[in-house]
Amino acid sequence: QVQLVESGGGLVQAGGSLRLSCAASGRTFNNYVMGWFRQAPGKEREFLAALSWSGVRIYYADSVKGRFTISRNNAKSMIDLQMKSLKPEDTAVYYCAAHSSYSISNLASAYDYWGQGTQVTVSS
């Protein structure tokens, strides 16, 4: 079993920054892929970024390139998402996810495990 817990969400003014963290526990294997998604009210879940457990392979959605950075803290088994230049349209619940594969996927249906989500609200 794999458990994921997000933290770091909150209220931030437009143009500000937040760092989200996802703590992974349980049987996390070397061939796992970790991803970040978000879902705004009335919208589909949107892929943001993903990396292999090794951290060697990284993939970003075009919409967040240059603003968001995904990274792995090897010592703590955590995945971070550093967000800068936040906009009101970034307001959403942010989720981390994992699936046991060597291949990175941007499809929510491909991921096996999900965290509970953390709310990010960007005010204007």
Side-chain angles (χ1 to χ4, degrees), residues 1-8 20-25 28 32-39 45 79 92-99 108 111-119:
Q1 294 296 128
V2 174
Q3 291 186 316
L4 307 173
V5 180
E6 305 95 334
S7 62
L20 306 182
S21 295
C22 175
S25 62
T28 302
Y32 267 56
V33 171
M34 308 296 298
W36 281 97
F37 292 77
R38 68 185 180 189
Q39 189 165 25
R45 192 159 295 187
I79 306 297
V93 177
Y94 284 69
Y95 298 90
C96 64
H99 73 105
Y111 288 79
D112 303 308
Y113 304 98
W114 293 85
Q116 83 289 347
T118 185
Q119 177 71 46

Side-chain angles (χ1 to χ4, degrees), residues 54-88:
S54 68
V56 173
R57 306 193 316 279
I58 300 176
Y59 179 77
Y60 293 98
D62 289 341
S63 60
V64 302
K65 287 182 179 178
R67 294 197 301 129
F68 292 9
T69 303
I70 188 171
S71 62
R72 177 173 181 261
N73 187 328
N74 293 323
K76 298 182 179 181
S77 298
M78 298 180 69
I79 306 297
D80 291 344
L81 185 70
Q82 177 65 48
M83 307 183 294
K84 65 179 182 180
S85 301
L86 286 165
K87 309 171 183 179

